[in-house]
Amino acid sequence: MRPPPTRHLTISTLTPFLYPSLFSPIIPCRSFHQNTTIRHNCTTVISPTTEPSPSFPPNPSSTPPSEPSLLETHLNPSPSESYSSTPFTDVCTLSLSSGSGGHGCISFLREKFIAFGPANGGDGGSGGNIYIRAIRGETSLHKLARRGIIKAGRGRNGRGKGKGGERGGDVLITVPVGTVVREVGRRNPVAEREERERLRGGRENVEGDQRGKWRRECWLLYPGAIPSEYATVDFPALPRPRRSNLVSAQVAAPISLDLSTVSEKPILLAAGAMGGLGNPHFVTKSIPRPKFATRGEEGISLTLALELKLLADIGLVGLPNAGKSTLLRSLSASRARVGDWEFTTLSPNIGTVVLDNYKGRPLVRGREESRTAFSIADIPGLIEGAHLDRGLGLGFLRHVERARVLAFVIDLGRGDAVEQLKGLWREVSQYETLRGKKDNEESEVRMVDWKPASTTAENNPPDKPKPTIIDYTMKKQILPDLQLQPISAKPWFVVATKADLPSTQDRFANLQAYLDAVASGAVEHPSGLKNAWRRRLCGIPVSAIKGEGVHRITEWVVGLLDE
C-alpha cells in the first residue's frame, strides 16, 4: 500500500493565511454526552457522568433531587413552570360583508374571416355567502374578536366566449354552543336601490334614457373605446336590481339567533350579491355590438354582536385563594396558573372533564344521554362588595350567571364555612337584584311615547311637495342585555376544599347540617330570594392538591346536568 500523501507547503505561499486549520494542531474532542446536562420536566437536572474537576470538589451534602410524580407535577407545579395563558372573550362585535358580484365582460367574437364578430361577453360571478354554525369544542370568542372584520370572496369577472365568472369563496363562522347573535346594523345596497326606484315611481332609469349620459357606478365601458363614441349612444334602461336565490334561505332581519344547541347545518346570515351582465344582454337592432356592460351588485354589510349565553356547564365560585384553580387542575388537564396569593386568576379558565377517556365508553353515565365530557369554568374570586364593582366584581359576577350549574368552593382552613357560603350568596343575590332593577328601567325608557314637534303652514306649504330623504348609512341600535336564567334558580352544590387539614371535620359537619336545613326549608335560603334552588343540596369534601375525593364531584355533576 502506498503511504498517504504528506502536505508539502512552502512558506512563500499564502496558504497558511488562507487555510489556518491545516496548520493548527488536532485536539481530540470529548464525547457530546459527557458535557450535556439532561433535564426532565424542567425541574430535575441529572449531573454529568464525568468526574468532577479537582478545582471544584463535590459537595457531599448536595444530592440530586428525586423526580416528582405526575400527580405532584400537575397539581402542585413549581414556580418555574410555564403556565398556559388561554385568552378568553365572551363578548365581541363583528363586521361582516358578503361578497360583491363580479363585473360583466365586454367581449366580441374573433375568428378568421370574421372582422366584426358579435358580442360574447360572459356574466360576472356571484359573491360568496356568510354562514354561522355552533360547534362543540369552542369555549371562547377570542378568535373572532381578534379578526373583527370578515369578508366573503368577491365573484370573478366574466370572460370572453360566453364564459361566466366563478363564484366567490364562502365564509363559515364557528362559535361555541350557547352563543347569542344579535344584529346591530345593516346596509343592503340592493334594497336601497329598490326603495329609491319605488319612491321615484318606477323612474329609476330615467338617466339612462337620455343620449350620451350614463351612470358610472352601474355601467362598465369598453376600455379601448374613445369617449366621443358614447356621446351619441342611447344607453338602454338599467335592469332591475337582482337578488340571489339564496336570499329566501337567509335569516330574516333583524338577526336574532340563540345557538343553544349544536347546529346540524350552517345557517345563512348574508347571501352574496349577483354579478353584472355581459354585453350580449344589450344587443339591439340599433346597437348590434354594444361596448358596455353592467357592474356587479354590492354585498350586504352587517354588524353583529356576539355574546356567550352559556359559559360552561359548571362554574366554580369562591373567595380569592380558595383553591379553585387547583380544583380545576385536578378535574381536567388544564394548566391554569396557581399560587399562594389572591387573584391568581384574572380571567375565566375553561377546562374539559373527559368521562370516557376518549374511548367512547363513559365511566359515569347519566339517565338521559351518554355524556362523554362536560366543561368547567374557573371564575375569578369574589370579594366583599363585588356587586358594587369592587375588585372587578361586576365583570366576574357576569360570568357567574353564564354557568349552567354553580359549584361554591369553600376553604375549610380559612374559618367558618357557613359564613363564607352566606357571604358569596349575598354578593350574588345583590347583583341579581341590581340587574333586575336595571332591566326594568330600560323597559320603561323604551316604552316612552315620542311625538314629533308640530309643524306650521309656513314651513310646509300645501302646494310644495315634501322632499324625500333617504339615509344610506348603516343604522345601528343599542341592544338590551340578555334575558338569562336567574342565578338563584340554578342548581348548585358546595365543594369543601383543603379537607385534609386538621380541625376541619367539625367545620364540614356544620356546613353539611346547614345545607340539610336549607334543603328541608327549615332555614332561609342563603340568597334570601324566593323560588331559589333547594333540591339536592350537597357538600363534597376534597383535597384538590392531593387529588382526593374529586371523583365524587364528577358523579354529582352528571346527575345535576341530567336534571
Side-chain angles (χ1 to χ4, degrees):
M1 297 179 60
R2 297 181 57 186
T6 58
R7 293 179 296 179
H8 298 283
L9 300 174
T10 60
I11 304 301
S12 61
T13 61
L14 296 177
T15 305
F17 300 96
L18 298 177
Y19 306 98
S21 59
L22 298 178
F23 299 90
S24 61
I26 300 177
I27 302 176
C29 298
R30 294 183 179 181
S31 175
F32 173 77
H33 300 282
Q34 295 178 355
N35 296 327
T36 306
T37 58
I38 306 174
R39 295 181 180 268
H40 291 277
N41 297 331
C42 300
T43 56
T44 305
V45 180
I46 299 178
S47 58
T49 58
T50 57
E51 296 182 358
S53 175
S55 59
F56 297 96
N59 188 3
S61 62
S62 61
T63 57
S66 60
E67 184 176 357
S69 62
L70 179 62
L71 185 63
E72 295 175 355
T73 303
H74 182 65
L75 300 183
N76 190 17
S78 63
S80 61
E81 180 178 347
S82 58
Y83 297 95
S84 61
S85 57
T86 304
F88 177 80
T89 304
D90 60 347
V91 178
C92 71
T93 302
L94 291 181
S95 298
L96 308 180
S97 298
S98 61
S100 302
H103 303 325
C105 179
I106 306 173
S107 177
F108 304 96
L109 179 64
R110 299 179 184 275
E111 292 184 358
K112 193 177 182 179
F113 305 115
I114 300 180
F116 301 98
N120 65 348
D123 299 339
S126 57
N129 310 319
I130 298 180
Y131 298 88
I132 191 171
R133 186 173 189 177
I135 62 173
R136 293 193 183 276
E138 295 285 345
T139 58
S140 175
L141 299 174
H142 68 278
K143 298 179 182 178
L144 297 177
R146 188 179 301 145
R147 297 178 65 179
I149 300 176
I150 299 177
K151 296 183 179 180
R154 178 183 175 275
R156 305 294 292 273
N157 299 334
R159 294 177 293 178
K161 298 183 180 180
K163 296 181 180 180
E166 300 178 357
R167 289 185 65 253
D170 298 338
V171 174
L172 177 61
I173 302 175
T174 57
V175 296
V177 176
T179 303
V180 177
V181 183
R182 295 183 291 178
E183 180 180 323
V184 179
R186 171 186 292 262
R187 181 179 181 274
N188 191 349
V190 177
E192 294 174 358
R193 184 177 168 188
E194 292 177 349
E195 181 67 15
R196 185 168 58 246
E197 182 178 355
R198 185 186 64 83
L199 294 176
R200 294 183 179 180
R203 294 180 295 110
E204 167 72 9
N205 305 321
V206 66
E207 297 181 6
D209 298 334
Q210 300 178 7
R211 175 172 296 183
K213 293 185 178 181
W214 65 90
R215 301 182 60 182
R216 299 183 182 274
E217 69 274 10
C218 299
W219 292 101
L220 188 68
L221 306 181
Y222 189 62
I226 304 174
S228 59
E229 296 181 6
Y230 298 100
T232 57
V233 174
D234 294 333
F235 280 82
L238 278 171
R240 292 186 175 275
R242 298 183 302 156
R243 295 176 179 266
S244 173
N245 296 331
L246 296 176
V247 174
S248 58
Q250 190 174 276
V251 180
I255 298 175
S256 179
L257 299 176
D258 187 358
L259 305 177
S260 57
T261 58
V262 178
S263 304
E264 298 181 357
K265 58 181 180 180
I267 302 174
L268 179 62
L269 293 180
M274 296 295 295
L277 301 177
N279 58 343
H281 292 271
F282 308 101
V283 174
T284 59
K285 293 183 179 180
S286 58
I287 309 177
R289 302 179 74 249
K291 295 184 178 181
F292 44 81
T294 58
R295 298 179 181 271
E297 303 286 352
E298 296 183 18
I300 302 175
S301 299
L302 296 175
T303 301
L304 301 181
L306 277 67
E307 189 170 358
L308 276 180
K309 181 180 180 180
L310 179 62
L311 178 64
D313 295 327
I314 307 298
L316 301 180
V317 185
L319 297 174
N321 200 21
K324 299 184 296 297
S325 300
T326 306
L327 182 61
L328 178 64
R329 277 176 166 259
S330 62
L331 290 172
S332 65
S334 175
R335 296 179 58 197
R337 184 179 182 85
V338 296
D340 193 12
W341 59 85
E342 296 183 354
F343 293 105
T344 309
T345 303
L346 297 178
S347 62
N349 294 319
I350 310 298
T352 302
V353 181
V354 180
L355 303 177
D356 59 348
N357 199 18
Y358 301 103
K359 294 182 180 180
R361 297 180 180 179
L363 302 177
V364 181
R365 293 184 178 273
R367 291 179 298 179
E368 297 182 358
E369 60 180 0
S370 103
R371 190 182 301 272
T372 59
F374 63 86
S375 58
I376 183 170
D378 173 19
I379 301 174
L382 303 178
I383 62 174
E384 185 178 357
H387 67 284
L388 301 176
D389 203 16
R390 293 178 182 174
L392 301 179
L394 291 180
F396 298 160
L397 286 169
R398 195 167 137 274
H399 300 310
V400 174
E401 60 181 349
R402 282 166 171 75
R404 185 175 298 175
V405 178
L406 300 180
F408 288 87
V409 182
I410 302 300
D411 184 4
L412 294 178
R414 181 171 292 187
D416 190 358
V418 177
E419 292 299 327
Q420 295 182 41
L421 180 61
K422 290 181 179 180
L424 292 174
W425 265 115
R426 188 183 307 112
E427 298 298 330
V428 172
S429 60
Q430 290 179 359
Y431 170 76
E432 184 177 345
T433 304
L434 294 176
R435 177 71 181 271
K437 293 181 179 179
K438 180 181 177 182
D439 294 342
N440 295 336
E441 293 176 358
E442 292 180 354
S443 300
E444 294 177 0
V445 171
R446 289 193 295 268
M447 294 176 60
V448 172
D449 296 332
W450 177 83
K451 295 181 180 180
S454 59
T455 57
T456 59
E458 298 178 358
N459 298 333
N460 295 320
D463 55 343
K464 183 178 180 180
K466 297 181 180 180
T468 302
I469 301 176
I470 304 177
D471 186 8
Y472 297 106
T473 59
M474 180 180 294
K475 301 179 180 179
K476 296 185 178 181
Q477 57 180 346
I478 301 177
L479 299 177
D481 294 336
L482 292 178
Q483 299 297 328
L484 303 176
Q485 181 185 6
I487 303 178
S488 58
K490 296 177 180 291
W492 62 280
F493 64 100
V494 178
V495 178
T497 60
K498 304 179 183 179
D500 56 334
L501 298 179
S503 67
T504 57
Q505 288 78 9
D506 297 339
R507 297 174 184 173
F508 178 76
N510 297 335
L511 176 62
Q512 187 62 46
Y514 175 75
L515 294 177
D516 295 340
V518 173
S520 61
V523 180
E524 185 184 8
H525 193 274
S527 65
L529 301 176
K530 297 180 180 180
N531 302 325
W533 178 273
R534 294 176 179 269
R535 296 177 294 171
R536 298 190 63 182
L537 296 183
C538 175
I540 303 176
V542 299
S543 176
I545 198 170
K546 295 182 179 180
E548 298 176 356
V550 295
H551 63 280
R552 294 186 54 194
I553 300 178
T554 304
E555 299 174 358
W556 191 262
V557 165
V558 172
L560 290 179
L561 291 178
D562 291 340
E563 293 186 3

